[in-house]
Amino acid sequence: VMNVITIEDYKSTYWPKLDSAIDQLLTQSPGDYIPISYEQIYSCVYKCVCQQHSEQMYSDLIKKITNHLERVSKELQASPPDLYIERFNIALGQYMGALQSIVPLFIYMNKFYIETKLNRDLKDDLIKLFTDHVAEKHIYNLMPLLLEAQSTPFQITPSTMANIVKGLYTLRPEWVQMAPALFSKFIPNILPPAVESELQEYAAQDQKLQRELMQNGFTR
C-alpha cells in the first residue's frame, strides 16, 4: 500500500528532487554524465501521479522550464553578433537534448494527465515553450545573420547552419517564408518545382555563386 503523499510532502520532498534533476538535465553539455538516478525520479513522478498531484507537478514543471528559457533568452540577447549564431545553436541543441531525458521521466504524468485531461502532449508543450520564449524573440536578429553567414564561406560550419535551419523549421514551419532559398538548402521539397521559364534565372544565380567563390580564393 502506498503511503499518502500530502501536498506538503509533495512540496517539501518530492518536487525538490524533481527540480534538481531537471536543473541538471537542462544545463548539461552534450555527452555529460549526470549523477541522477533515473529510476528514483521515475518512481517519484509515478507516486505523485497516483496521489493526484499531476496538476501541481505539471504547473511546477512548466514554470521551472519557462524561467530557465527566459534566462537563456537574456543571455543570447547579450551575445555579440559574431558569437550569436553559435550560441543560439548551442542553446537549441542543449534544450532539445534535455527533452530527450525529461519527457520520458514524466511519462506517467503525460499519459494520465496531459493526454487524457488536457488532450495535449508533454513534448509538444515543451517545444512550444522554446518557440515562445527563445526562438520567437530572436528570429528577427538571427535571420539576417544566417543569410549573411550563408553568403560568406567558412563563417559558420555547415553543420551549425543545418542544425539551426532544421530546428527553426521544426519549431515553426511558416518561418520558411522569411528565407525560402535558405530553408530549401536543408529541407527537401519546400520550394515549388522549377519552372522552365525560370531556368535562366537559376543559371544566373549559379554563375553568381561561382564568381563569389572564385573571388574568395576558390579555383574552379
Side-chain angles (χ1 to χ4, degrees):
V1 176
M2 203 180 278
N3 293 333
V4 173
I5 299 173
T6 64
I7 186 70
E8 282 71 33
D9 295 335
Y10 166 81
K11 285 179 172 166
S12 64
T13 308
Y14 287 84
W15 176 250
K17 277 185 196 163
L18 297 174
D19 186 289
S20 94
I22 295 161
D23 248 348
Q24 287 183 288
L25 291 167
L26 286 171
T27 53
Q28 71 173 337
S29 301
D32 276 3
Y33 168 73
I34 301 193
I36 63 172
S37 159
Y38 283 87
E39 211 158 317
Q40 194 186 22
I41 300 303
Y42 195 74
S43 107
C44 211
V45 170
Y46 174 72
K47 286 175 186 165
C48 293
V49 170
C50 293
Q51 302 264 332
Q52 313 297 312
H53 296 300
S54 295
E55 190 175 349
Q56 181 68 51
M57 186 162 53
Y58 175 70
S59 156
D60 288 339
L61 177 65
I62 294 296
K63 196 156 66 188
K64 164 98 189 150
I65 292 185
T66 299
N67 290 339
H68 167 76
L69 290 174
E70 283 175 350
R71 280 197 303 279
V72 167
S73 183
K74 283 202 179 84
E75 284 166 18
L76 277 173
Q77 265 154 0
S79 286
D82 57 329
L83 299 175
Y84 192 83
I85 294 179
E86 200 48 70
R87 285 185 184 168
F88 184 90
N89 185 44
I90 290 167
L92 176 68
Q94 192 173 38
Y95 185 70
M96 292 306 186
L99 292 195
Q100 290 180 351
S101 298
I102 292 171
V103 171
L105 285 175
F106 285 89
I107 192 165
Y108 279 106
M109 181 180 76
N110 193 35
K111 196 168 176 177
F112 294 105
Y113 175 69
I114 304 175
E115 285 181 359
T116 50
K117 297 261 169 68
L118 307 179
N119 295 316
R120 292 205 306 266
D121 174 75
L122 180 59
K123 188 177 182 187
D124 294 345
D125 281 2
L126 297 184
I127 287 176
K128 187 177 184 308
L129 286 183
F130 189 89
T131 309
D132 294 349
H133 295 282
V134 182
E136 181 96 286
K137 292 180 181 171
H138 291 273
I139 188 81
Y140 295 101
N141 291 335
L142 186 64
M143 233 0 132
L145 291 171
L146 287 174
L147 290 167
E148 187 191 328
Q150 186 207 3
S151 61
T152 317
F154 305 125
Q155 195 175 330
I156 60 169
T157 66
S159 63
T160 296
M161 184 69 94
N163 284 344
I164 293 182
V165 171
K166 288 174 181 170
L168 292 173
Y169 183 69
T170 304
L171 297 176
R172 190 161 290 171
E174 58 268 32
W175 280 336
V176 163
Q177 286 148 18
M178 294 173 75
L182 175 64
F183 278 88
S184 71
K185 286 196 159 67
F186 302 97
I187 293 147
N189 306 326
I190 59 166
L191 287 185
V195 182
E196 198 174 336
S197 59
E198 290 169 3
L199 287 177
Q200 274 183 304
E201 198 185 318
Y202 287 123
Q205 282 176 354
D206 202 45
Q207 284 168 344
K208 180 171 172 282
L209 179 65
Q210 293 200 356
R211 278 198 303 279
E212 284 168 3
L213 286 174
M214 284 163 74
Q215 281 159 7
N216 283 293
F218 279 86
T219 47
R220 295 189 72 151

